Amino acid sequence: MEYIVSARKYRPMSFDTVVGQSALTTTLKNAVKSGKLAHAYLFCGPRGVGKTTCARIFAKAINCQNPTADGEACNECESCLSFNEQRSLNIFELDAASNNSVEHIKTLMEQTRIPPQVGKYKVFIIDEVHMLSTAAFNAFLKTLEEPPAHVIFILATTEKHKILPTILSRCQIYDFERMTVQNTIQHLKSVAEKEGIQYEEEALAVIAEKADGGMRDALSIFDQAASFCQGNITYQKVIEDLNVLDSEYYFRIIDFSIENKVTDIMVLFNDVVNKGFDGGLLVQGLARHVRNVLMAKDPQTLPLLEVSEQAGQRYVEQARKADTRFLYGALRLMNQCDINYRQSSNKRLLVELTLIEIAQLTQPEEGPANGRKPRRLKSLFKQLIRQAQPKQSAPQVAAVVQENPDQKKAQVSQNTPSPSLKVSNLGMSWSNLRQQGKPKKMQILPGTQGIGENTASESEIFSQEALELQWMSMCNRMPQKLSGIATRMKNMNPVIKEMPAVEVVVANEIIKAEVEQIKGSIVNTLKFHLHNSDITLTITLAEKGEREKVLSRREQFEEMVRQNPSVGKLWALFDLELA
């Protein structure tokens, strides 16, 4: 016996057997009963919801010689029998996807002139009508507007927006609805019973969700699952066959998040990854799960859950344990993760951080309230980060405060270890991270004490390399108005004459006078950063023989060419000019 797939075998043959389109089928039956038929109909909606099926049922009912009292075809007259045996000469089907040219439409228009031999109407069903070319649409317009009395057009499409407005205005438009999960489950149950297949309702719910509102897709997946399960469709076998992530993972992740069990969530996520599932798929599925939990918190939104009754009860139970603010925060975090997932270079780390943040949403904030509630990672890494943060003494903090009095509060907060662990940099807020990334400004003004006197009695030994490093860093931090002297100081070479005495040689009296004006600030800066309160600075004027000649740009370039002839060859090869 020839095998027929369920989508064809159980295709509805009457309006009453159409699933999920009760309002639409009632309208069509009433039109048949009253005899008030339009000359053109447009059936539009997503794939697999019954557009072509309803068009065929409607076409058979229109030509039925003895329709029933409720507008159904009798299936006994010659017109119905010829249609059922696929030999009807009054009903024509055209696939516009492969017959979309002007010639095909003209041939169709020629057939409209011939009246029906049996029945009242000639019905032309044009499937995927949006595939017609613009020229074909224009050729179809006149006949569609004023067809012969014995002609009815039924157009079907999944993309109504692609059809010309002039076509839409000439048709009665029927919008088909997506199949709900419950309707799909009920239909699959009836098919399974007719086929003698055992099933679990949770397994049928997975098939219905996978079909995404299409009954034809649901029946195709049902056939696939029935073949894999060998007549006993179970939940575990279906998720294995369809490669669907078990919803139990989502319930467990939310339960762990409510209890702040970050470690358990990390282990669970690793299990998901090891099974071959993508982290982005987990985030999307978890977002849908949290949305369902949120809908289950209110009886008014409970009907919005497109799940089986058993799964709905589990959502209600979890909704009782989950706080609404936690659910809102989790949705916001997962939405942000979904947006950034494609651009992320380390996708697994992004998902892990998102899951950690979700797990910390229900944990109370620590530390004093400052008007902001930054995202935090408290339990998992707090001790490690505290150990890694450098400790500073009170005098050092005081010295930093004097460095810039206008930023007193900000500097103290930066140098005082925070009791909480923030997401942004594993122990630091974004603002602190930005501040650390920028060079710290030092107020070195003539006549002032710079960053302040170092009151701490420190006497650490420092090396020549450390001295040169702090000297260059100090020059880079000097304010804009001292940029001239800062540039000249960069060319100076401070030397340790006798620890901790420092000597610097200047080229002339003018530079020496400028450096003398800010000598106090320089000394205080070196004391603070080299941790030695006994540092002294001697500014010495270079001898005539020691003074270096200041070279111009051209002289510097000529010196480079002399030391490295390849530079001169490169300059000549590319015909460069000295700016």
Side-chain angles (χ1 to χ4, degrees), residues 31-97:
V32 174
K33 286 192 298 182
S34 63
K36 297 178 179 178
L37 301 174
H39 63 273
Y41 295 86
L42 176 63
F43 292 171
C44 50
R47 69 183 189 278
V49 294
K51 299 183 298 297
T52 306
T53 298
C54 284
R56 292 175 178 176
I57 297 172
F58 188 44
K60 183 171 70 170
I62 288 173
N63 275 324
C64 180
Q65 298 172 351
N66 302 303
T68 61
D70 59 351
E72 293 278 9
C74 68
N75 287 318
E76 295 178 355
C77 65
E78 175 59 25
S79 177
C80 292
L81 292 176
S82 62
F83 176 84
N84 293 338
E85 296 171 4
Q86 299 182 1
R87 56 182 177 82
S88 175
L89 300 178
N90 294 338
I91 300 175
F92 299 88
E93 285 194 40
L94 178 69
D95 179 21

Side-chain angles (χ1 to χ4, degrees), residues 418-433:
S418 173
S420 62
L421 180 60
K422 300 182 180 180
V423 163
S424 308
N425 197 31
L426 293 182
M428 307 186 127
S429 66
W430 286 111
S431 59
N432 288 346
L433 181 60

Side-chain angles (χ1 to χ4, degrees), residues 14-260:
S14 64
F15 287 121
D16 291 337
T17 56
V18 175
V19 180
Q21 312 292 343
S22 58
L24 189 145
T25 54
T26 301
T27 304
L28 295 178
K29 286 195 294 184
N30 291 337
V32 174
K33 286 192 298 182
S34 63
K36 297 178 179 178
L37 301 174
H39 63 273
Y41 295 86
L42 176 63
F43 292 171
C44 50
R47 69 183 189 278
V49 294
K51 299 183 298 297
T52 306
T53 298
C54 284
R56 292 175 178 176
I57 297 172
F58 188 44
K60 183 171 70 170
I62 288 173
N63 275 324
C64 180
Q65 298 172 351
N66 302 303
T68 61
D70 59 351
E72 293 278 9
C74 68
N75 287 318
E76 295 178 355
C77 65
E78 175 59 25
S79 177
C80 292
L81 292 176
S82 62
F83 176 84
N84 293 338
E85 296 171 4
Q86 299 182 1
R87 56 182 177 82
S88 175
L89 300 178
N90 294 338
I91 300 175
F92 299 88
E93 285 194 40
L94 178 69
D95 179 21
S98 55
N99 300 279
N100 55 4
S101 65
V102 178
E103 289 73 16
H104 292 115
I105 292 299
K106 288 182 177 179
T107 302
L108 184 68
M109 296 304 101
E110 291 292 332
Q111 295 180 8
T112 60
R113 299 179 181 179
I114 305 172
Q117 302 301 313
V118 179
K120 301 178 181 178
Y121 300 97
K122 268 197 170 182
V123 183
F124 294 88
I125 301 173
I126 305 178
D127 206 2
E128 301 298 334
V129 70
H130 64 275
M131 298 292 288
L132 289 178
S133 63
T134 303
F137 269 130
N138 292 331
F140 185 40
L141 271 177
K142 188 62 177 177
T143 304
L144 185 65
E145 183 176 15
E146 297 178 357
H150 58 270
V151 172
I152 293 179
F153 292 104
I154 303 177
L155 315 180
T157 180
T158 56
E159 301 181 46
K160 183 174 67 173
H161 61 279
K162 292 186 177 180
I163 300 178
L164 296 179
T166 49
I167 298 290
L168 296 176
S169 64
R170 290 165 167 81
C171 302
Q172 281 191 10
I173 301 175
Y174 290 80
D175 290 301
F176 283 66
E177 302 175 359
R178 291 176 65 252
M179 296 294 172
T180 64
V181 172
Q182 288 298 331
N183 285 338
T184 305
I185 292 175
Q186 294 301 323
H187 189 63
L188 292 179
K189 283 182 180 180
S190 65
V191 172
E193 291 170 359
K194 293 175 182 177
E195 292 291 325
I197 298 174
Q198 297 179 354
Y199 60 87
E200 292 180 1
E201 186 169 343
E202 284 298 309
L204 299 184
V206 172
I207 295 174
E209 293 174 12
K210 186 77 171 179
D212 193 26
M215 185 62 73
R216 182 173 60 239
D217 292 355
L219 290 170
S220 298
I221 299 172
F222 176 83
D223 287 344
Q224 176 184 341
S227 178
F228 179 78
C229 301
Q230 292 296 309
N232 184 15
I233 301 178
T234 62
Y235 176 77
Q236 290 298 329
K237 289 184 178 179
V238 166
I239 63 174
E240 180 184 353
D241 181 37
L242 301 182
N243 196 30
V244 176
L245 185 60
D246 191 353
S247 61
E248 183 66 25
Y249 283 102
Y250 303 137
F251 283 103
R252 292 173 63 188
I253 288 176
I254 297 303
D255 287 337
F256 289 149
S257 299
I258 295 173
E259 300 171 5
N260 306 128

Side-chain angles (χ1 to χ4, degrees), residues 327-538:
L327 298 175
Y328 284 147
L331 282 174
R332 182 171 59 253
L333 291 173
M334 285 183 289
N335 180 63
Q336 193 64 35
C337 178
D338 188 41
I339 294 173
N340 297 331
Y341 187 80
R342 186 172 298 177
Q343 291 79 21
S344 176
S345 59
N346 193 340
K347 293 179 170 54
R348 175 163 183 166
L349 178 61
L350 175 65
V351 176
E352 288 177 340
L353 284 176
T354 301
L355 294 175
I356 293 172
E357 292 179 67
I358 293 172
Q360 299 296 336
L361 287 174
T362 55
Q363 184 165 337
E365 292 290 341
E366 300 177 5
N370 57 358
R372 296 181 62 194
K373 293 184 178 180
R375 296 182 292 171
R376 300 173 186 271
L377 304 177
K378 302 183 186 68
S379 303
L380 190 58
F381 306 114
K382 180 167 61 179
Q383 296 299 328
L384 294 176
I385 298 304
R386 281 185 176 178
Q387 294 174 6
Q389 289 179 344
K391 297 182 179 179
Q392 293 187 355
S393 60
Q396 291 175 336
V397 175
V400 175
V401 172
Q402 294 181 19
E403 178 183 342
N404 192 345
D406 295 336
Q407 298 180 352
K408 179 176 181 180
K409 294 182 179 179
Q411 294 288 344
V412 170
S413 63
Q414 289 179 15
N415 290 276
T416 303
S418 173
S420 62
L421 180 60
K422 300 182 180 180
V423 163
S424 308
N425 197 31
L426 293 182
M428 307 186 127
S429 66
W430 286 111
S431 59
N432 288 346
L433 181 60
R434 287 193 294 267
Q435 289 294 334
Q436 290 189 1
K438 298 178 182 178
K440 190 181 297 181
K441 293 184 179 180
M442 180 172 295
Q443 301 296 334
I444 303 181
L445 302 174
T448 66
Q449 296 302 315
I451 64 172
E453 296 291 344
N454 193 342
T455 58
S457 179
E458 296 181 291
S459 58
E460 291 186 11
I461 304 299
F462 55 90
S463 63
Q464 177 67 29
E465 291 79 5
L467 173 62
E468 293 176 358
L469 174 63
Q470 295 302 331
W471 181 274
M472 187 61 65
S473 300
M474 175 183 62
C475 295
N476 291 331
R477 293 193 299 263
M478 290 174 68
Q480 181 65 30
K481 60 182 178 181
L482 297 178
S483 59
I485 185 62
T487 303
R488 287 186 284 272
M489 286 175 61
K490 289 180 181 179
N491 296 323
M492 299 177 186
N493 186 27
V495 179
I496 303 174
K497 301 300 291 183
E498 183 178 352
M499 184 66 65
V502 177
E503 182 186 47
V504 63
V505 179
V506 298
N508 53 57
E509 292 286 351
I510 298 176
I511 299 178
K512 181 179 179 182
E514 292 181 350
V515 176
E516 288 282 1
Q517 289 181 355
I518 58 175
K519 178 180 177 180
S521 297
I522 295 173
V523 172
N524 289 332
T525 302
L526 295 177
K527 286 180 179 180
F528 175 74
H529 289 285
L530 295 174
H531 305 291
N532 192 315
S533 58
D534 299 324
I535 292 177
T536 59
L537 177 64
T538 304

